[in-house]
Amino acid sequence: MMIGNGMFIPRRMHRNPAFRKLNVSSIFVLFEFLYRRQVTQVPTKEGRGKEWIISNNGEIFFTYDEAKNNFGIPRSTFRRAIDQLVDLGFIDITHHGGGMMKDASKYAISERWKEYGKKGFLKNLDQKIHEAWGLRKRTGKRQQEKTDQ
């Protein structure tokens, strides 16, 4: 949440075991994602008080070119940071862009990190979608041959 000249970081995030696994580049990329959030205050369901929601969640852009040109982060380092943030539950990829097509990926801030280390933790959003639809991940031809033997 950006309030004035500051940025809100959820309470206890820095003490969570998932946060402690992040490398320096991943922390920087996470902070940039948190900075890019747009937050809005809305009434709570009970009608008493207000709460903050991310109004652009799922529509946050952070391209490889921006990472390289604006922050000096090499493509490979940025890719590893994104992978680590997804795996540990800090962000989700809501749209996989295609670099050759000039189609940028879109991201959402996630709170899956709160469940990190617990039995129900999902490593990424794709797992949740696959489970909801009763699908299994595809295995390559080589993997199937190995399991058949």
Side-chain angles (χ1 to χ4, degrees):
M1 244 177 267
M2 277 184 26
I3 301 174
N5 223 5
M7 178 178 55
F8 175 81
I9 297 173
R11 181 175 289 200
R12 306 264 186 231
M13 179 187 276
H14 70 287
R15 292 185 181 173
N16 187 281
F19 187 84
R20 291 194 303 264
K21 288 192 173 276
L22 294 174
N23 62 37
V24 174
S25 297
S26 296
I27 292 170
F28 178 82
V29 171
L30 173 62
F31 285 175
E32 187 61 29
F33 274 112
L34 295 176
Y35 177 77
R36 291 170 185 235
R37 293 178 295 188
Q38 295 172 359
V39 294
T40 307
Q41 211 172 21
V42 296
T44 60
K45 291 178 184 171
E46 298 84 33
R48 300 180 190 141
K50 296 188 177 199
E51 65 182 349
W52 292 96
I53 62 159
I54 303 171
S55 58
N56 67 334
N57 217 16
E59 300 290 324
I60 300 171
F61 292 97
F62 191 5
T63 66
Y64 285 81
D65 286 342
E66 281 182 284
K68 183 167 178 28
N69 298 335
N70 298 348
F71 304 108
I73 302 172
R75 294 180 70 80
S76 59
T77 302
F78 186 65
R79 176 76 251 162
R80 282 192 301 273
I82 294 292
D83 288 345
Q84 190 175 41
L85 291 170
V86 170
D87 288 346
L88 295 174
F90 291 97
I91 64 171
D92 291 317
I93 301 172
T94 58
H95 171 73
H96 290 275
M100 300 299 280
M101 307 289 275
K102 298 291 183 194
D103 178 27
S105 294
K106 295 179 187 177
Y107 302 93
I109 304 298
S110 175
E111 293 190 347
R112 289 182 299 106
W113 59 268
K114 291 179 179 179
E115 301 300 316
Y116 181 79
K118 297 179 183 174
K119 190 174 182 178
F121 177 74
L122 294 174
K123 200 167 183 177
N124 63 42
L125 187 61
D126 288 342
Q127 279 180 290
K128 194 181 290 185
I129 292 167
H130 279 92
E131 287 176 9
W133 287 92
L135 303 172
R136 284 187 241 168
K137 271 191 167 179
R138 284 187 185 181
T139 57
K141 189 175 181 180
R142 287 184 186 168
Q143 285 181 323
Q144 284 179 339
E145 289 173 1
K146 287 181 184 178
T147 57
D148 291 342
Q149 294 175 354

